[in-house]
Amino acid sequence: MNAIEFILAGMLAAATPFLLAALGELVAERAGVLNLGVEGLMAFGAVIAFIIVYHGGGHFLAFIAGGLGAALLSLIFAVIVLGFNANQVATGLAIGILGQGLSALFGKSYESLTVRALPKIAIPGLSEIPVIGGLFVQDIVVWLSLAATIAIWAMFAYSKVGLIIRAVGENPKAAHAIGYPVIAIRFAAVAFGGMLAGFAGAYAATIYTPLWADGMIAGRGWIAIALVVFGTWLTGRIFLGACLFGAVSLMGLAAQATGLDVPSQLLACLPYLVTIIVLGIISADRRLLKLNGIASLGEPFER
Amino acid sequence: MSRTFLVLPTLVRRERASLAATLLAPPIALIVTVILNLGLYVVMGRDPAAVVYAMLIEPFVSWASFSEVLLKTGPLLLIAQGLAIGFRAKMFNIGAEGQFVLGALFASAIPIWWPAATGQWIWPAMLLLGTIGGAFWASLTAFWRVRLNANEILVSLMLSFVAVQLLNYLLLGPWKDPNGFNFPQSVMFQYDAMVPILIEGTRVNVSLILALLLSIAAWVFMQKSFIGYKLQVGGLAPRAASYAGFTESRAIWLSLLIGGAAAGLAGAAEVAGPLGQLQRSISTGYGYAAIIVAYLGGLHPIGIIISAIVMAALYIGGDNAMVSANLPVAAVRVFQGSLLLGYLVAIAFSRYRLAWRPAATRSAT
């Protein structure tokens, strides 16, 4: 298998944690709430899911519990920023620290243990195509994440629910005036975002690299937040961005396999460096950010 | 909408911020956090009395352990003072961890390249170089923000991850101690590379004085100087500040360079102080803890001195609890996170008061 085949085959699975967390953050941000706690929410979801799979609870239950756990933690965030109008940046950081702390605490006795991942499902016919065939051999969660991407895109593009969420994010006063419960909708959006972050962590810890280690989320939550900016709050571009990061995180492995003499630390830096560079390129076009940006992002809503 | 019988507590904005609530918020948050975390330890099957003693009392009962608290206060105080200036200008540099690491790297260059050098100039030069290193790392974020409009939160944080990898690279490669049994650490620094000890018999060194001096400087800068005033106005009302002729880009550069320099100085003082060599373990989360210290101190230079001591005691207490009450180190992170959350809730009451009134009247206002 050459490097291109290797990257194509692994890209979607590597992209899935980024994608799920970024989609969740997208929904919260569309409703006007900036949740910087994603890293901690992912870690919390990851440890819960890992513990359940380790004790034989199965992946389905693990994802449900990891998602619910992270959603509960994100509800604490919601109560503080929506109920008490606290600074969203500071509260998000605090939730991030708390989530990482709780995950390290609960995961203490599971450090470096492994579990069995889910089998990959090959789509007959498509998976036999040379070079790109690897794209069609994925585990079920990858396929479900793709479905979720399309569902969220369709929700914002066509449904009334999507329209209401956007109204709440763009102009909460107007949304309130025509009778929508702004705070309740923001609560729901944050909880949904937390749940997806929990799924993202569960995927990272029980399927992508099925082992538990403190700090294993390694900045993926932060990259997911950056992805929302890269994607200029558009679902399709967020998906492409997640694939880019999936590929970048595999490039390190691919480079080592081909025997390139590059320090492993430089390869480990790659996702962060790419984030910094892409963030600069996208943000430099202020028009683009203004066009799709969310008017009331981070602002508390007061009647 | 017309369920007038439902009485809910609502937050009503105060006419003016309550000073009492502002001052009471940190201690109340601390008490609530202690209670919540004790509950967690009980659930985990630990003896709460032993934890309370190890975490909250032991750091203060002996001079030996209190001096360790002071030792940890230095870096937290330095970093938090620098960050708070930026936070008041609404410039969220959360990459102090990386700036701290770069400060340590820059400072270590002198004793690693000239291990035999002697003279009283070495440690001051290291501190200066570390300050430059931290400011340099922060300047990358400032450049990205000013020139490319990139979000400073994300860029500064990503740079922290890069900084840790840079540290790993140097310690596993060119800067590894050749006689160090392959441990990822540098040579031990020579005597003149060490900052002077302040209190005989302890590890408390000159950097604590530097941190206190910087606190006074921060107070003068924020409360008395015109630039500091303009920075704060810029944070509260960006438009007013730009009318007054203070550009946003200058505020960004200033906030980030101050924050980076302070964090870099703290990093340099760490390798030239208690560590005496460059190690992987220099990045222990001071940069993140300092964010909490800054907020808990109300972003006020005096408040930050108190909150830095509290946070330092928490670190030492956490270490104690790890030994005597068998509590994982991660408990300290949980405590830190919940402390900041508790503070953010408590401080809301300086701007709002609780009012009990029927739900329906809320939508009428």
Side-chain angles (χ1 to χ4, degrees), chain A residues 83 214 222 265 276 284 302, chain B residues 11 13 144 148 157 333 352:
Chain A
D214 185 18
W222 289 101
Q265 291 86 9
I276 294 168
E302 289 183 62
Chain B
L11 290 175
R13 196 174 262 281
W144 240 249
L148 302 172
L157 195 89
R333 269 193 275 168
Y352 302 93

Side-chain angles (χ1 to χ4, degrees), chain B residues 135-158:
Chain B
F136 158 70
W137 208 239
S139 73
L140 299 176
T141 304
F143 181 84
W144 240 249
R145 172 67 208 262
V146 168
R147 283 304 186 77
L148 302 172
N149 186 37
N151 181 306
E152 78 280 3
I153 298 174
L154 295 170
V155 175
S156 62
L157 195 89
M158 291 295 138

Side-chain angles (χ1 to χ4, degrees), chain A residues 36 76 80 83-87 89-91 93-95 97-98 100-102 104-105 108 214 218-219 222-223 225-226 229 263 265 268-269 272-273 275-277 279-280 283-284 286 289 302-303, chain B residues 11 13 40 44 92 94 144-146 148-151 153-155 157-159 161-162 165 168-169 172 288 291-292 295 328 330-331 333-334 336-338 340-341 344-345 348-349 351-352 362-363:
Chain A
L36 294 181
I76 297 177
I80 295 171
F84 292 93
N85 288 346
N87 180 325
V89 172
T91 313
L93 292 174
I95 285 288
I97 295 169
L98 180 65
Q100 290 181 58
L102 286 173
L105 202 59
K108 186 78 174 58
D214 185 18
W222 289 101
I223 293 177
I225 295 171
V229 183
Q265 291 86 9
C269 277
Y272 313 122
L273 288 174
T275 306
I276 294 168
I277 293 164
L279 204 56
S283 307
R286 286 172 199 246
L289 291 191
E302 289 183 62
R303 274 174 278 253
Chain B
L11 290 175
R13 196 174 262 281
L40 180 67
M44 289 169 59
F92 296 105
I94 60 166
W144 240 249
R145 172 67 208 262
V146 168
L148 302 172
N149 186 37
N151 181 306
I153 298 174
L154 295 170
V155 175
L157 195 89
M158 291 295 138
L159 283 170
F161 288 112
V162 175
Q165 292 301 332
N168 285 342
Y169 167 72
L172 292 166
Y288 304 112
I291 297 171
I292 301 172
Y295 274 107
R333 269 193 275 168
V334 174
Q336 289 175 342
S338 43
L340 181 50
L341 289 177
L344 290 165
V345 171
F349 292 98
R351 287 173 294 129
Y352 302 93
R362 283 191 303 162
S363 48

